[in-house]
Amino acid sequence: MERELHRLEAMARQLDPDAAVRHEMTRQAFEFADHFVASLAERPTYRANAACPDLAAFRPEDTAGSIREILDVLEREVLDTGINPASGGHFGYIPGGGIYPSALGDFLADVTNSYSGVYFASPGAAVMERSLVRWMADLVGLPPGAGGDLTSGGSIANLAAVVTAREACGIRARDVEHNVVYLSGQTHHCVDKALRLAGVGDCVIRRVAMDKSWRMDPAALAQSAAADRAAGLRPWMVVASAGSTDVGAVDPLGAIADVAAEHRLWNHVDAAYGGFFLLTSAGRQRLAGIERADTVVLDPHKGLFLPFGSGAILARDERQLAAAHYYTADYMQDARDAGGVFSPADLGPELTRPFRGLRLWLPLKLLGLAPFRAALEEKLLLARYFRERLVQIRGFEPGPAPDLSVVTFRYHPAHGDIETHNKALLQAVHRDGRYFISSTQLDGQYTLRFACLHVRSHRREVDGLLALLEQTAARIESG
Ligand SMILES: *Cc1c(COP(=O)(O)O)cnc(C)c1O
């Protein structure tokens, strides 16, 4: 037995490399990362029709590999396919970010592996996250009793909001279909998904009318809620968008809060895209009224330029979040003494989870808030700049002035079908690959969209995209 233990230990110890091995693998990984960042200007933002890797390329085997080979596979089979979300040429969907100091936070969180889910296990990690949540609640303007949880993203945060609203409003399975949710045509699809996941997919879903800039019409909301109540239904929840993903429209949050108060609706604001514009004065004006929400979703991996994997749910009353998520078990009895505060595991669906606070806290402390504020102001201005320049190019017609940093537009050719031309234009931009934009349907019309939220998008990238659009549109039109 002792010989066997010895043999197994020698093998098992490979899982815990010594300093020399660690330093070498870290050096190579660091050089790889450094080269990646340095080469971003030459890398495409989008690679159309890249050969798709087969499953076998990634399959683990019994034998060890080298870090060199592994990094080669990463480069070849992953980084060279699809959209490059680290590129400042990314103007599609809602661009992500990936600020470098956040990666250091992840690195340190992974190496130290603090157990952030439970206060007892790591009071420091739990309180760091609490402090970050408090900072966000202050940014939104929520009262002292507010609380929240750092999630993996906006979809999960919206799910936590729906579950919290369900529990707070006492909706049981048998009365789901008498409850009404008010969304708009611009509500993110993850809210519909969350309703289904939360077991309330059979509730009545009303799509409230919007104005010409795709903002929810509060008068229509009030009318609809009154009609539903008169018909014996129960108006339950309104979901306002504070920056819709599609066109960046900010619903009139104050007026919606008035209607919510009058009709006793749960007032949820999905600010996954737009929430951190609260750091700017223009954003604070646009998002006025958000402080009256019952629950709010923010996405640091959008508005704070973090790498993917960071969302947040905030609740005006922390106890309501806990009422929806708190649970305990006998084997958790030692962990119950939480110093009088809730742990992240009490406020969200996860128990063991990554120490998400560090990827957020490290860059905020290291860089200070000022550069984040400046970058967000820059994106708002770049969106206006893009729209102003686009109008000057013959044939291009932009949609409404942006509430935040999304601009929609269409190219109107002198002859021929508009939709056909715009599809060809998008395809040509994708084939070129230096910049990435995406398309949508607005009032049944094929429409192109420019979404500016990438940390590496500056005036030069916007000018480059404008030039590409101008040349490409002209080329397509001349056949
Ligand atoms: C991105 C987004 C979501 C979904 O968030 P994920 O982080 O992608 O899960 C929800 N709502 C809005 C408004 C968004 O922009």
Side-chain angles (χ1 to χ4, degrees):
M1 183 153 81
E2 273 163 39
R3 189 150 10 104
E4 185 62 358
L5 278 173
H6 186 74
R7 185 187 70 80
L8 290 172
E9 177 173 333
M11 291 287 285
R13 276 186 179 276
Q14 291 172 26
L15 296 178
D16 187 22
D18 66 20
V21 175
R22 256 190 348 259
H23 291 176
E24 180 54 20
M25 60 172 64
T26 308
R27 186 187 65 77
Q28 292 204 36
F30 169 79
E31 275 178 11
F32 181 90
D34 224 34
H35 172 74
F36 176 80
V37 177
S39 67
L40 276 171
E42 292 95 61
R43 282 175 185 266
T45 299
Y46 179 60
R47 169 129 331 159
N49 314 319
C52 185
D54 63 28
L55 287 169
F58 303 110
R59 198 172 172 86
E61 286 157 11
D62 235 33
T63 49
S66 75
I67 187 82
R68 184 71 274 144
E69 288 162 13
I70 289 163
L71 295 173
D72 282 350
V73 173
L74 175 63
E75 173 69 61
R76 208 175 49 238
E77 308 291 356
V78 180
L79 301 186
D80 253 3
T81 61
I83 301 172
N84 176 4
S87 166
H90 184 7
F91 297 108
Y93 311 111
I94 301 293
I99 49 172
Y100 191 80
S102 223
L104 298 180
D106 276 347
F107 177 75
L108 295 172
D110 288 358
V111 173
T112 57
N113 208 19
S114 288
Y115 198 95
S116 62
V118 177
Y119 175 90
F120 170 82
S122 180
V127 171
M128 180 196 288
E129 293 200 358
R130 239 184 130 64
S131 175
L132 291 166
V133 162
R134 187 61 251 170
W135 169 69
M136 287 188 236
D138 288 340
L139 190 64
V140 168
L142 295 176
D149 184 35
L150 302 182
T151 66
S152 58
S155 300
I156 294 296
N158 273 299
L159 174 61
V162 168
V163 170
T164 303
R166 184 195 68 200
E167 292 301 296
C169 299
I171 298 178
R172 307 264 61 96
R174 62 179 171 276
D175 44 51
V176 166
E177 60 191 39
H178 298 115
N179 285 276
V180 190
V181 175
Y182 302 89
L183 313 177
S184 86
Q186 283 285 311
T187 309
H188 195 280
H189 71 271
C190 77
V191 173
D192 297 89
K193 189 168 160 181
L195 290 167
R196 175 144 48 88
L197 286 172
V200 290
D202 288 335
C203 67
V204 181
I205 295 180
R206 302 264 183 249
R207 302 276 166 189
V208 180
M210 296 177 283
D211 69 11
K212 282 201 217 73
S213 298
W214 292 285
R215 306 185 192 112
M216 186 185 280
D217 174 0
L221 171 66
Q223 230 166 41
S224 198
D228 285 331
R229 197 175 297 288
L233 296 170
R234 181 214 197 182
W236 166 38
M237 173 169 68
V238 56
V239 179
S241 303
S244 70
T245 310
D246 200 13
V247 304
V250 179
D251 289 336
L253 304 177
I256 290 173
D258 288 341
V259 178
E262 192 192 328
H263 291 272
R264 284 189 290 123
L265 289 167
W266 186 270
N267 178 9
H268 174 54
V269 178
D270 180 4
Y273 154 54
F276 285 105
F277 284 107
L278 286 166
L279 285 166
T280 71
S281 60
R284 266 199 306 284
Q285 283 175 26
R286 275 272 179 256
L287 273 68
I290 193 172
E291 71 283 353
R292 294 170 64 193
D294 291 306
T295 38
V296 176
V297 164
L298 301 173
D299 248 356
H301 66 204
K302 287 177 181 161
L304 288 178
F305 314 109
L306 259 60
F308 296 139
S310 277
I313 166 74
L314 304 175
R316 153 171 241 90
D317 182 347
E318 184 181 45
R319 290 167 306 178
Q320 289 180 323
L321 204 53
H325 294 98
Y326 179 85
Y327 236 95
T328 190
D330 290 343
Y331 48 80
M332 295 292 287
Q333 62 185 4
D334 309 328
R336 260 179 231 151
D337 175 20
V341 294
F342 287 116
S343 292
D346 302 328
L347 302 171
E350 296 168 296
L351 178 57
T352 306
R353 64 209 262 292
F355 178 15
R356 296 197 178 101
L358 205 46
R359 56 174 16 230
L360 178 55
W361 179 73
L362 190 147
L364 290 176
K365 291 300 277 189
L366 184 70
L367 306 168
L369 293 177
F372 289 92
R373 188 174 288 122
L376 288 162
E377 276 172 15
E378 180 195 28
K379 307 315 162 199
L380 294 174
L381 207 54
L382 282 173
R384 285 171 45 200
Y385 173 82
F386 174 82
R387 189 171 180 274
E388 276 172 24
R389 292 296 155 109
L390 195 71
V391 195
Q392 291 163 16
I393 309 176
R394 200 184 54 80
F396 281 98
E397 285 193 11
D403 278 354
L404 296 170
S405 68
V406 178
V407 178
T408 57
F409 60 99
R410 280 154 66 84
Y411 182 70
H412 289 250
H415 311 283
D417 181 51
I418 298 181
E419 179 160 333
T420 310
H421 266 76
N422 281 276
K423 280 185 173 160
L425 180 57
L426 186 81
Q427 273 173 12
V429 170
H430 285 179
R431 263 197 312 277
D432 176 88
R434 281 173 294 167
Y435 303 96
F436 184 83
I437 55 172
S438 55
S439 72
T440 187
Q441 295 286 334
L442 290 174
D443 291 335
Q445 294 194 318
Y446 184 88
T447 305
L448 301 175
R449 54 191 292 292
F450 163 90
C452 189
L453 196 64
H454 201 286
V455 68
R456 295 189 174 101
S457 297
H458 307 291
R459 173 151 175 217
R460 192 227 289 245
E461 282 72 26
V462 176
D463 283 338
L465 171 64
L466 284 162
L468 178 64
L469 287 171
E470 178 167 17
Q471 290 155 13
T472 312
R475 189 161 47 73
I476 292 172
E477 191 145 21
S478 66

mmCIF file with all atom_site columns, all heavy atoms in Angstrom, residues 94 153-156 158 188 190 243-245 270 272-273 299 301-302, ligand 1:
data_model
loop_
_atom_site.group_PDB
_atom_site.id
_atom_site.type_symbol
_atom_site.label_atom_id
_atom_site.label_alt_id
_atom_site.label_comp_id
_atom_site.label_asym_id
_atom_site.label_entity_id
_atom_site.label_seq_id
_atom_site.pdbx_PDB_ins_code
_atom_site.Cartn_x
_atom_site.Cartn_y
_atom_site.Cartn_z
_atom_site.occupancy
_atom_site.B_iso_or_equiv
_atom_site.pdbx_formal_charge
_atom_site.auth_seq_id
_atom_site.auth_comp_id
_atom_site.auth_asym_id
_atom_site.auth_atom_id
_atom_site.pdbx_PDB_model_num
ATOM   1   N N   . ILE A 1 94  ? -24.304 44.055 -28.642 1.00 0.00 ? 94  ILE A N   1
ATOM   2   C CA  . ILE A 1 94  ? -23.713 44.992 -27.681 1.00 0.00 ? 94  ILE A CA  1
ATOM   3   C C   . ILE A 1 94  ? -22.288 44.494 -27.476 1.00 0.00 ? 94  ILE A C   1
ATOM   4   O O   . ILE A 1 94  ? -22.085 43.402 -26.945 1.00 0.00 ? 94  ILE A O   1
ATOM   5   C CB  . ILE A 1 94  ? -24.465 44.999 -26.327 1.00 0.00 ? 94  ILE A CB  1
ATOM   6   C CG1 . ILE A 1 94  ? -25.942 45.375 -26.517 1.00 0.00 ? 94  ILE A CG1 1
ATOM   7   C CG2 . ILE A 1 94  ? -23.775 45.947 -25.345 1.00 0.00 ? 94  ILE A CG2 1
ATOM   8   C CD1 . ILE A 1 94  ? -26.209 46.792 -26.959 1.00 0.00 ? 94  ILE A CD1 1
ATOM   9   N N   . GLY A 1 153 ? -23.995 37.091 -15.673 1.00 0.00 ? 153 GLY A N   1
ATOM   10  C CA  . GLY A 1 153 ? -24.395 37.958 -16.776 1.00 0.00 ? 153 GLY A CA  1
ATOM   11  C C   . GLY A 1 153 ? -25.800 38.472 -16.576 1.00 0.00 ? 153 GLY A C   1
ATOM   12  O O   . GLY A 1 153 ? -26.440 38.224 -15.535 1.00 0.00 ? 153 GLY A O   1
ATOM   13  N N   . GLY A 1 154 ? -26.292 39.175 -17.595 1.00 0.00 ? 154 GLY A N   1
ATOM   14  C CA  . GLY A 1 154 ? -27.595 39.820 -17.514 1.00 0.00 ? 154 GLY A CA  1
ATOM   15  C C   . GLY A 1 154 ? -28.755 38.836 -17.561 1.00 0.00 ? 154 GLY A C   1
ATOM   16  O O   . GLY A 1 154 ? -29.805 39.073 -16.951 1.00 0.00 ? 154 GLY A O   1
ATOM   17  N N   . SER A 1 155 ? -28.599 37.740 -18.301 1.00 0.00 ? 155 SER A N   1
ATOM   18  C CA  . SER A 1 155 ? -29.710 36.787 -18.415 1.00 0.00 ? 155 SER A CA  1
ATOM   19  C C   . SER A 1 155 ? -30.022 36.172 -17.054 1.00 0.00 ? 155 SER A C   1
ATOM   20  O O   . SER A 1 155 ? -31.184 36.088 -16.650 1.00 0.00 ? 155 SER A O   1
ATOM   21  C CB  . SER A 1 155 ? -29.364 35.670 -19.403 1.00 0.00 ? 155 SER A CB  1
ATOM   22  O OG  . SER A 1 155 ? -29.111 36.202 -20.677 1.00 0.00 ? 155 SER A OG  1
ATOM   23  N N   . ILE A 1 156 ? -28.977 35.755 -16.349 1.00 0.00 ? 156 ILE A N   1
ATOM   24  C CA  . ILE A 1 156 ? -29.176 35.147 -15.034 1.00 0.00 ? 156 ILE A CA  1
ATOM   25  C C   . ILE A 1 156 ? -29.677 36.198 -14.045 1.00 0.00 ? 156 ILE A C   1
ATOM   26  O O   . ILE A 1 156 ? -30.519 35.909 -13.179 1.00 0.00 ? 156 ILE A O   1
ATOM   27  C CB  . ILE A 1 156 ? -27.855 34.507 -14.539 1.00 0.00 ? 156 ILE A CB  1
ATOM   28  C CG1 . ILE A 1 156 ? -27.476 33.324 -15.433 1.00 0.00 ? 156 ILE A CG1 1
ATOM   29  C CG2 . ILE A 1 156 ? -27.961 34.063 -13.087 1.00 0.00 ? 156 ILE A CG2 1
ATOM   30  C CD1 . ILE A 1 156 ? -28.455 32.167 -15.397 1.00 0.00 ? 156 ILE A CD1 1
ATOM   31  N N   . ASN A 1 158 ? -31.564 38.752 -14.796 1.00 0.00 ? 158 ASN A N   1
ATOM   32  C CA  . ASN A 1 158 ? -32.988 38.942 -15.087 1.00 0.00 ? 158 ASN A CA  1
ATOM   33  C C   . ASN A 1 158 ? -33.824 37.788 -14.536 1.00 0.00 ? 158 ASN A C   1
ATOM   34  O O   . ASN A 1 158 ? -34.942 37.996 -14.061 1.00 0.00 ? 158 ASN A O   1
ATOM   35  C CB  . ASN A 1 158 ? -33.222 39.107 -16.601 1.00 0.00 ? 158 ASN A CB  1
ATOM   36  C CG  . ASN A 1 158 ? -33.078 40.564 -17.046 1.00 0.00 ? 158 ASN A CG  1
ATOM   37  O OD1 . ASN A 1 158 ? -33.813 41.445 -16.592 1.00 0.00 ? 158 ASN A OD1 1
ATOM   38  N ND2 . ASN A 1 158 ? -32.121 40.833 -17.920 1.00 0.00 ? 158 ASN A ND2 1
ATOM   39  N N   . HIS A 1 188 ? -35.533 42.632 -23.982 1.00 0.00 ? 188 HIS A N   1
ATOM   40  C CA  . HIS A 1 188 ? -34.563 41.582 -24.332 1.00 0.00 ? 188 HIS A CA  1
ATOM   41  C C   . HIS A 1 188 ? -35.210 40.198 -24.206 1.00 0.00 ? 188 HIS A C   1
ATOM   42  O O   . HIS A 1 188 ? -35.943 39.940 -23.249 1.00 0.00 ? 188 HIS A O   1
ATOM   43  C CB  . HIS A 1 188 ? -33.346 41.670 -23.411 1.00 0.00 ? 188 HIS A CB  1
ATOM   44  C CG  . HIS A 1 188 ? -32.170 40.886 -23.917 1.00 0.00 ? 188 HIS A CG  1
ATOM   45  N ND1 . HIS A 1 188 ? -32.057 39.525 -23.754 1.00 0.00 ? 188 HIS A ND1 1
ATOM   46  C CD2 . HIS A 1 188 ? -31.064 41.271 -24.593 1.00 0.00 ? 188 HIS A CD2 1
ATOM   47  C CE1 . HIS A 1 188 ? -30.923 39.116 -24.298 1.00 0.00 ? 188 HIS A CE1 1
ATOM   48  N NE2 . HIS A 1 188 ? -30.300 40.152 -24.822 1.00 0.00 ? 188 HIS A NE2 1
ATOM   49  N N   . CYS A 1 190 ? -34.164 37.535 -23.191 1.00 0.00 ? 190 CYS A N   1
ATOM   50  C CA  . CYS A 1 190 ? -33.837 36.744 -21.992 1.00 0.00 ? 190 CYS A CA  1
ATOM   51  C C   . CYS A 1 190 ? -34.906 36.926 -20.908 1.00 0.00 ? 190 CYS A C   1
ATOM   52  O O   . CYS A 1 190 ? -34.985 36.110 -19.983 1.00 0.00 ? 190 CYS A O   1
ATOM   53  C CB  . CYS A 1 190 ? -32.446 37.083 -21.464 1.00 0.00 ? 190 CYS A CB  1
ATOM   54  S SG  . CYS A 1 190 ? -32.346 38.608 -20.552 1.00 0.00 ? 190 CYS A SG  1
ATOM   55  N N   . GLY A 1 243 ? -31.981 51.239 -21.920 1.00 0.00 ? 243 GLY A N   1
ATOM   56  C CA  . GLY A 1 243 ? -31.116 50.917 -23.013 1.00 0.00 ? 243 GLY A CA  1
ATOM   57  C C   . GLY A 1 243 ? -31.524 49.570 -23.561 1.00 0.00 ? 243 GLY A C   1
ATOM   58  O O   . GLY A 1 243 ? -31.124 48.527 -23.039 1.00 0.00 ? 243 GLY A O   1
ATOM   59  N N   . SER A 1 244 ? -32.388 49.575 -24.606 1.00 0.00 ? 244 SER A N   1
ATOM   60  C CA  . SER A 1 244 ? -32.721 48.295 -25.224 1.00 0.00 ? 244 SER A CA  1
ATOM   61  C C   . SER A 1 244 ? -31.536 47.852 -26.071 1.00 0.00 ? 244 SER A C   1
ATOM   62  O O   . SER A 1 244 ? -30.812 48.677 -26.634 1.00 0.00 ? 244 SER A O   1
ATOM   63  C CB  . SER A 1 244 ? -33.988 48.416 -26.076 1.00 0.00 ? 244 SER A CB  1
ATOM   64  O OG  . SER A 1 244 ? -33.735 49.188 -27.230 1.00 0.00 ? 244 SER A OG  1
ATOM   65  N N   . THR A 1 245 ? -31.340 46.542 -26.130 1.00 0.00 ? 245 THR A N   1
ATOM   66  C CA  . THR A 1 245 ? -30.216 45.985 -26.868 1.00 0.00 ? 245 THR A CA  1
ATOM   67  C C   . THR A 1 245 ? -30.303 46.342 -28.349 1.00 0.00 ? 245 THR A C   1
ATOM   68  O O   . THR A 1 245 ? -29.316 46.685 -28.987 1.00 0.00 ? 245 THR A O   1
ATOM   69  C CB  . THR A 1 245 ? -30.257 44.455 -26.730 1.00 0.00 ? 245 THR A CB  1
ATOM   70  O OG1 . THR A 1 245 ? -30.404 44.170 -25.349 1.00 0.00 ? 245 THR A OG1 1
ATOM   71  C CG2 . THR A 1 245 ? -29.017 43.808 -27.257 1.00 0.00 ? 245 THR A CG2 1
ATOM   72  N N   . ASP A 1 270 ? -34.482 46.594 -16.729 1.00 0.00 ? 270 ASP A N   1
ATOM   73  C CA  . ASP A 1 270 ? -33.356 45.880 -17.316 1.00 0.00 ? 270 ASP A CA  1
ATOM   74  C C   . ASP A 1 270 ? -32.376 46.910 -17.888 1.00 0.00 ? 270 ASP A C   1
ATOM   75  O O   . ASP A 1 270 ? -32.584 47.450 -18.970 1.00 0.00 ? 270 ASP A O   1
ATOM   76  C CB  . ASP A 1 270 ? -33.853 44.936 -18.420 1.00 0.00 ? 270 ASP A CB  1
ATOM   77  C CG  . ASP A 1 270 ? -32.705 44.172 -19.070 1.00 0.00 ? 270 ASP A CG  1
ATOM   78  O OD1 . ASP A 1 270 ? -31.540 44.326 -18.622 1.00 0.00 ? 270 ASP A OD1 1
ATOM   79  O OD2 . ASP A 1 270 ? -32.968 43.419 -20.037 1.00 0.00 ? 270 ASP A OD2 1
ATOM   80  N N   . ALA A 1 272 ? -29.108 46.212 -18.338 1.00 0.00 ? 272 ALA A N   1
ATOM   81  C CA  . ALA A 1 272 ? -27.900 45.426 -18.625 1.00 0.00 ? 272 ALA A CA  1
ATOM   82  C C   . ALA A 1 272 ? -26.980 46.179 -19.579 1.00 0.00 ? 272 ALA A C   1
ATOM   83  O O   . ALA A 1 272 ? -25.770 46.238 -19.381 1.00 0.00 ? 272 ALA A O   1
ATOM   84  C CB  . ALA A 1 272 ? -28.268 44.067 -19.209 1.00 0.00 ? 272 ALA A CB  1
ATOM   85  N N   . TYR A 1 273 ? -27.581 46.758 -20.594 1.00 0.00 ? 273 TYR A N   1
ATOM   86  C CA  . TYR A 1 273 ? -26.756 47.506 -21.550 1.00 0.00 ? 273 TYR A CA  1
ATOM   87  C C   . TYR A 1 273 ? -26.458 48.920 -21.039 1.00 0.00 ? 273 TYR A C   1
ATOM   88  O O   . TYR A 1 273 ? -25.309 49.363 -21.034 1.00 0.00 ? 273 TYR A O   1
ATOM   89  C CB  . TYR A 1 273 ? -27.450 47.526 -22.921 1.00 0.00 ? 273 TYR A CB  1
ATOM   90  C CG  . TYR A 1 273 ? -27.079 48.701 -23.789 1.00 0.00 ? 273 TYR A CG  1
ATOM   91  C CD1 . TYR A 1 273 ? -25.741 48.997 -24.078 1.00 0.00 ? 273 TYR A CD1 1
ATOM   92  C CD2 . TYR A 1 273 ? -28.062 49.535 -24.320 1.00 0.00 ? 273 TYR A CD2 1
ATOM   93  C CE1 . TYR A 1 273 ? -25.403 50.095 -24.866 1.00 0.00 ? 273 TYR A CE1 1
ATOM   94  C CE2 . TYR A 1 273 ? -27.730 50.621 -25.103 1.00 0.00 ? 273 TYR A CE2 1
ATOM   95  C CZ  . TYR A 1 273 ? -26.401 50.903 -25.367 1.00 0.00 ? 273 TYR A CZ  1
ATOM   96  O OH  . TYR A 1 273 ? -26.072 51.986 -26.129 1.00 0.00 ? 273 TYR A OH  1
ATOM   97  N N   . ASP A 1 299 ? -24.960 45.030 -16.245 1.00 0.00 ? 299 ASP A N   1
ATOM   98  C CA  . ASP A 1 299 ? -23.981 44.097 -16.817 1.00 0.00 ? 299 ASP A CA  1
ATOM   99  C C   . ASP A 1 299 ? -22.593 44.745 -16.856 1.00 0.00 ? 299 ASP A C   1
ATOM   100 O O   . ASP A 1 299 ? -22.257 45.413 -17.826 1.00 0.00 ? 299 ASP A O   1
ATOM   101 C CB  . ASP A 1 299 ? -24.390 43.709 -18.252 1.00 0.00 ? 299 ASP A CB  1
ATOM   102 C CG  . ASP A 1 299 ? -24.809 42.258 -18.382 1.00 0.00 ? 299 ASP A CG  1
ATOM   103 O OD1 . ASP A 1 299 ? -24.725 41.509 -17.387 1.00 0.00 ? 299 ASP A OD1 1
ATOM   104 O OD2 . ASP A 1 299 ? -25.219 41.867 -19.494 1.00 0.00 ? 299 ASP A OD2 1
ATOM   105 N N   . HIS A 1 301 ? -20.016 43.418 -17.648 1.00 0.00 ? 301 HIS A N   1
ATOM   106 C CA  . HIS A 1 301 ? -19.284 42.978 -18.843 1.00 0.00 ? 301 HIS A CA  1
ATOM   107 C C   . HIS A 1 301 ? -19.745 43.700 -20.102 1.00 0.00 ? 301 HIS A C   1
ATOM   108 O O   . HIS A 1 301 ? -19.251 43.436 -21.188 1.00 0.00 ? 301 HIS A O   1
ATOM   109 C CB  . HIS A 1 301 ? -19.256 41.445 -19.011 1.00 0.00 ? 301 HIS A CB  1
ATOM   110 C CG  . HIS A 1 301 ? -20.565 40.764 -19.285 1.00 0.00 ? 301 HIS A CG  1
ATOM   111 N ND1 . HIS A 1 301 ? -20.773 39.436 -18.979 1.00 0.00 ? 301 HIS A ND1 1
ATOM   112 C CD2 . HIS A 1 301 ? -21.720 41.185 -19.835 1.00 0.00 ? 301 HIS A CD2 1
ATOM   113 C CE1 . HIS A 1 301 ? -21.991 39.071 -19.344 1.00 0.00 ? 301 HIS A CE1 1
ATOM   114 N NE2 . HIS A 1 301 ? -22.588 40.114 -19.860 1.00 0.00 ? 301 HIS A NE2 1
ATOM   115 N N   . LYS A 1 302 ? -20.683 44.613 -19.954 1.00 0.00 ? 302 LYS A N   1
ATOM   116 C CA  . LYS A 1 302 ? -20.975 45.554 -21.040 1.00 0.00 ? 302 LYS A CA  1
ATOM   117 C C   . LYS A 1 302 ? -20.461 46.942 -20.624 1.00 0.00 ? 302 LYS A C   1
ATOM   118 O O   . LYS A 1 302 ? -19.427 47.371 -21.062 1.00 0.00 ? 302 LYS A O   1
ATOM   119 C CB  . LYS A 1 302 ? -22.469 45.581 -21.330 1.00 0.00 ? 302 LYS A CB  1
ATOM   120 C CG  . LYS A 1 302 ? -22.936 44.313 -22.043 1.00 0.00 ? 302 LYS A CG  1
ATOM   121 C CD  . LYS A 1 302 ? -24.426 44.305 -22.271 1.00 0.00 ? 302 LYS A CD  1
ATOM   122 C CE  . LYS A 1 302 ? -24.842 43.016 -22.960 1.00 0.00 ? 302 LYS A CE  1
ATOM   123 N NZ  . LYS A 1 302 ? -26.275 42.755 -22.795 1.00 0.00 ? 302 LYS A NZ  1
HETATM 124 C C1  . LIG B 2 .   ? -27.113 41.864 -22.998 1.00 0.00 ? 1   LIG B C1  1
HETATM 125 C C2  . LIG B 2 .   ? -28.452 42.105 -22.451 1.00 0.00 ? 1   LIG B C2  1
HETATM 126 C C3  . LIG B 2 .   ? -29.116 41.139 -21.700 1.00 0.00 ? 1   LIG B C3  1
HETATM 127 C C4  . LIG B 2 .   ? -28.563 39.756 -21.509 1.00 0.00 ? 1   LIG B C4  1
HETATM 128 O O1  . LIG B 2 .   ? -27.408 39.790 -20.759 1.00 0.00 ? 1   LIG B O1  1
HETATM 129 P P1  . LIG B 2 .   ? -26.265 38.666 -20.904 1.00 0.00 ? 1   LIG B P1  1
HETATM 130 O O2  . LIG B 2 .   ? -25.187 39.242 -20.078 1.00 0.00 ? 1   LIG B O2  1
HETATM 131 O O3  . LIG B 2 .   ? -25.935 38.581 -22.358 1.00 0.00 ? 1   LIG B O3  1
HETATM 132 O O4  . LIG B 2 .   ? -26.813 37.401 -20.382 1.00 0.00 ? 1   LIG B O4  1
HETATM 133 C C5  . LIG B 2 .   ? -30.322 41.473 -21.141 1.00 0.00 ? 1   LIG B C5  1
HETATM 134 N N1  . LIG B 2 .   ? -30.867 42.673 -21.332 1.00 0.00 ? 1   LIG B N1  1
HETATM 135 C C6  . LIG B 2 .   ? -30.267 43.628 -22.061 1.00 0.00 ? 1   LIG B C6  1
HETATM 136 C C7  . LIG B 2 .   ? -30.927 44.958 -22.240 1.00 0.00 ? 1   LIG B C7  1
HETATM 137 C C8  . LIG B 2 .   ? -29.043 43.380 -22.661 1.00 0.00 ? 1   LIG B C8  1
HETATM 138 O O5  . LIG B 2 .   ? -28.447 44.313 -23.399 1.00 0.00 ? 1   LIG B O5  1
#
